[in-house]
Amino acid sequence: MPGTGLVSLVPRAREVQEADGPPFVWDTDTALVAEPAAHGVARWLRGHTVLPFREGDGVAGAGAGTTVELRVDDGLDAEGYRLDVTPTRVLIEGGDAAGIFWGAQTLRQLLPPAAFRRAGRPGREWHVPCCHIEDAPRFGWRGMMLDVARHFTPKDGVLRLLDQLAAHKLNVFHFHLTDDQGWRMDIRRYPQLTGAGAWRPRTRVGHRASPLWDERRHGGYYTQDDLREIVAYAAERHITVVPEIELPGHSQAAIAAYPDLGSTDVVDTAALGVWTDWGVSPHLLAPTDDVLRFYEHVLDEVLDVFPSPYIHIGGDETPKEEWRASAVAQARIAQEGLRDEDALQAWMVRHFDRWLAARGRRLVGWDEILDGGTLEGPGLTPGAVVSSWRGTDGGAAAAEAGHDVVMCPEHELYLDRRQAPGPDEPVPLGRVATLRDVYAFSPVPQRLAAAGRGERVLGIQANMWTECAESTQRVDYQVFPRLAALAEVAWSGSGGSYDDFVERLVGAHLPRLDAAGVEYRPLDGPRPWQQRPGIPGRPLD
C-alpha cells in the first residue's frame, strides 16, 4: 500500500521488484556479515538499527538465525547498490563502500519509522519484505550548505545534520565557516580570528530592515579537533565536507580581528567590529602581498584539517567602492595591467585557484568568480568549480567554458526563503520556494543538454543561510521537508511524479522525521509555535 514498504523510499529507487515469500525477520538472533571493505558500514549499522545483531564469527551461514550480508561488487557503478531480501538473508552489494552504505540506508527505510529512533523497545523484531532493488545516483554531488557564520551551530547540531544528510543519500556538506558576522574556524597561527572575529556584541532580529535587536553577545567557533571530528563523522557516512573561507568580500569579521587585512588607506579599519547587521558589508580585503600570504597561511591549516578535494573561497557580493578609492588597490591594478576593479577580484581569485591546484585541491567559488575576465586570458585552472546561485546562467556559461558546475539557484534551492505566501510563514524572506518548486527543479539547463555538456553539471545543492535561523529548531523548519525533494532530484533525477513523491513523503517519510526528532514544516503550514509574529521579513513577489 502507498506510504509503506517498497513504495515508501525517499529518494525513489531506479528498480524495485517485489518477491514472493514470507518476510525476512530481523531480531536479536540476526547476524551481520561484512567483507573488510564494508566494515565501516557494518559499524554504522550496528549503531543505527535500534536492534542489536547476534555476536558471531562474521561467517555467512554461521548459527541458526537470519543474516545481513555486506559485499562489494565491482560490476556495479560507484555509489550504486543492489539489495536482495529473502526470508533468511538480506544481501547488500555495492560498487564501493559508499554504495553499500546507501543500500543500508534503503534497508532502514524498509523498516517501520521506529527504526529511525535512537533506541527501541526490548523484544521488538522487524519484518522486511522480500524484494530486489537496484539503484544508483544520477549526480555525484548531492549537497547541502549550512551557514554557521551568521548564527553559530554547535558541533552536536552539525553532527545531527550529517545524520539527516546521510538518511537522504546526500554526500556533500558545504560548511560556510566565515563571513562578516563571524569567523568559526580556529586558525592557530592567527588566534584573533576566533579570539575577536568569532563574537559580535548584538544581532539584528529578522530582516535587515527590522527595528528589532537581540542585545546578547553571540558567537562561537570550532576547534581544529572539533572539525576533525566532524570530518571523520561525515566520512563514516560517505559525506565530503567542503569548507568555505570567504574572500575578498564577506570578510569584515577577519578585518575586525586583523585590521591590516582591510583598506587602511581608505577606512579606519581598527575601528571596525564584527558586523552585527545583515546584508553585504562594503569592506573588502586589501589586494596586497601581505594579505595573500595571510590567507595562504589560513588555507594551509584548512587543508590540514579538511581532506576534501574541493575548497570553497566564496567570491560573491563584493562592492568595489573601497577599492576604487584605495591608492593601494589602484596601484595593484596598474602593476598587474588589469582593466578595472572587477578584474582585480578575478586576479585574486586566480591567485588562490593556482595556489590550491598546486596542492592538489580544486577551488570552488560562487558564480561571481566568472566576472572580471576570469574566463579570458590565463583564466581559471581547468579544475575550478562554479557554484551557480544567481540562477543557472552562470553555471551554463562556466560549463560551456569547460568548468564543472554545482547548481544551487537562489529562487529554487535557497532554503532560507519562505515556503508559502501568507502571514503565517515565519520571517518571510525572498520569493516563495515551495516543496513543489524544489521538486520541479531541472539541474541541467536545456542549452547544456543540447550541446552535450550536461556532464559538466556535477550535481545540485540546497543552501541554508541563517540570518533568520538562530537555532536548530528554526533550521529544521526551513530545511525539511524541502531537503527530501532536493534529495530525490539529486539522486533519482528530474521527471518523477510530484503527487507520488508527496504520497511517499506523507505516508512514510514524515513519520521517519518525527521519529528522528526533526521539527519540519507540515505541508499545510507552520504549527503555532513555529510562527514568528512581529519579526519583519522581506517577502518578494
Side-chain angles (χ1 to χ4, degrees):
M1 59 181 292
T4 62
L6 300 181
V7 295
S8 69
L9 301 180
V10 176
R12 70 182 187 277
R14 287 186 181 180
E15 179 185 342
V16 179
Q17 298 176 358
E18 297 188 42
D20 294 331
F24 175 91
V25 178
W26 188 343
D27 56 23
T28 55
D29 201 33
T30 298
L32 178 61
V33 180
E35 291 184 350
H39 282 174
V41 183
R43 184 168 56 249
W44 180 88
L45 265 175
R46 286 188 182 278
H48 291 82
T49 52
V50 178
L51 281 175
F53 286 97
R54 169 169 53 90
E55 295 297 329
D57 56 12
V59 176
T66 55
T67 60
V68 175
E69 300 178 29
L70 311 177
R71 298 180 187 170
V72 173
D73 182 342
D74 294 334
L76 295 171
D77 294 337
E79 294 196 276
Y81 67 90
R82 182 187 303 116
L83 171 62
D84 284 294
V85 182
T86 69
T88 59
R89 182 181 74 166
V90 171
L91 174 61
I92 303 175
E93 297 173 294
D96 51 14
I100 299 172
F101 182 73
W102 305 131
Q105 293 291 347
T106 294
L107 173 62
R108 189 162 67 147
Q109 289 197 5
L110 296 180
L111 303 174
F116 286 76
R117 297 187 180 278
R118 296 191 181 189
R121 296 200 307 266
R124 166 172 279 179
E125 63 182 27
W126 305 114
H127 289 190
V128 185
C130 292
C131 62
H132 170 84
I133 299 174
E134 291 205 30
D135 202 8
R138 179 184 182 189
F139 291 109
W141 186 301
R142 308 180 302 279
M144 178 184 159
M145 185 280 299
L146 178 65
D147 164 30
V148 296
R150 274 49 177 270
H151 278 102
F152 178 65
T153 299
K155 180 189 68 178
D156 283 354
V158 176
L159 300 180
R160 174 181 178 273
L161 179 61
L162 289 171
D163 281 331
Q164 287 303 318
L165 298 190
H168 291 83
K169 297 188 174 76
L170 299 176
N171 67 344
V172 175
F173 175 52
H174 176 173
F175 207 4
H176 185 82
L177 290 165
T178 73
D179 217 294
D180 299 308
Q181 295 85 2
W183 184 286
R184 306 297 179 211
M185 177 178 177
D186 174 32
I187 301 296
R188 292 169 180 170
R189 183 163 183 157
Y190 300 117
Q192 280 297 100
L193 285 171
T194 50
W199 310 95
R200 61 177 181 262
R202 65 176 188 163
T203 299
R204 177 83 70 180
V205 177
H207 183 258
R208 61 181 176 271
S210 166
L212 305 177
W213 290 90
D214 182 343
E215 297 293 345
R216 295 173 298 175
R217 187 172 183 246
H218 178 81
Y221 66 91
Y222 310 100
T223 67
Q224 293 193 12
D225 285 342
D226 290 335
L227 293 169
R228 287 189 173 92
E229 179 185 355
I230 288 168
V231 167
Y233 194 87
E236 284 191 338
R237 289 148 182 78
H238 298 274
I239 297 169
T240 298
V241 181
V242 177
E244 181 177 354
I245 304 294
E246 284 265 19
L247 62 92
H250 289 287
S251 299
Q252 185 168 329
I255 296 169
Y258 291 92
D260 287 347
L261 295 174
S263 296
T264 57
D265 61 336
V266 177
V267 177
D268 180 9
T269 55
L272 293 177
V274 177
W275 209 20
T276 60
D277 215 340
W278 312 131
V280 180
S281 169
H283 304 299
L284 305 186
L285 299 173
T288 66
D289 289 342
D290 287 345
V291 170
L292 296 182
R293 298 294 87 75
F294 184 99
Y295 272 81
E296 287 173 2
H297 296 153
V298 167
L299 289 172
D300 278 334
E301 298 193 29
V302 171
L303 267 56
D304 187 54
V305 171
F306 294 96
S308 165
Y310 303 99
I311 305 294
H312 209 296
I313 58 89
D316 62 318
E317 296 181 323
T318 52
K320 306 295 195 306
E321 287 78 6
E322 284 187 0
W323 279 359
R324 292 187 184 98
S326 168
V328 171
Q330 295 304 311
R332 177 64 80 176
I333 288 173
Q335 176 185 335
E336 302 296 334
L338 302 174
R339 181 176 65 252
D340 55 18
E341 290 77 20
D342 287 336
L344 179 59
Q345 178 179 345
W347 167 83
M348 186 175 278
V349 169
R350 282 198 300 269
H351 173 87
F352 288 103
D353 181 25
R354 282 158 174 72
W355 188 91
L356 288 168
R359 289 155 181 78
R361 308 298 183 99
R362 299 178 66 179
L363 176 142
V364 189
W366 303 108
D367 54 54
E368 285 96 326
I369 68 172
L370 303 175
D371 300 340
T374 50
L375 296 183
E376 304 167 1
L380 296 166
T381 63
V385 179
V386 171
S387 299
S388 188
W389 75 275
R390 297 178 298 178
T392 59
D393 287 346
E400 288 163 351
H403 292 281
D404 288 336
V405 179
V406 177
M407 292 296 187
C408 47
E410 59 174 327
H411 294 318
E412 295 91 349
L413 302 185
Y414 271 33
L415 300 184
D416 57 317
R417 304 303 168 85
R418 57 191 175 133
Q419 302 178 64
D424 291 339
E425 206 61 35
V427 195
L429 291 174
R431 297 186 185 179
V432 173
T434 66
L435 183 71
R436 183 187 290 271
D437 292 332
V438 175
Y439 194 82
F441 175 66
S442 180
V444 180
Q446 182 58 38
R447 68 192 249 199
L448 291 184
R453 292 183 177 271
E455 76 284 351
R456 284 293 182 185
V457 178
L458 296 178
I460 63 174
Q461 174 176 297
N463 294 335
M464 180 60 213
W465 304 100
T466 61
E467 288 92 334
C468 298
E470 75 288 349
S471 66
T472 295
Q473 184 182 43
R474 286 287 305 124
V475 170
D476 275 3
Y477 178 88
Q478 295 298 134
V479 169
F480 298 100
R482 289 185 293 182
L483 193 70
L486 178 282
E488 181 144 322
V489 175
W491 180 277
S492 311
S494 306
S497 163
Y498 177 73
D499 290 342
D500 172 68
F501 167 72
V502 169
E503 191 170 17
R504 285 179 281 125
L505 184 72
V506 173
H509 201 64
L510 294 185
R512 294 173 191 140
L513 296 182
D514 286 326
V518 175
E519 294 246 6
Y520 59 86
R521 179 191 187 275
L523 268 62
D524 58 357
R527 299 179 174 98
W529 61 88
Q530 293 172 322
Q531 299 173 24
R532 307 188 79 193
I535 299 180
R538 182 173 175 262
L540 299 176
D541 293 334

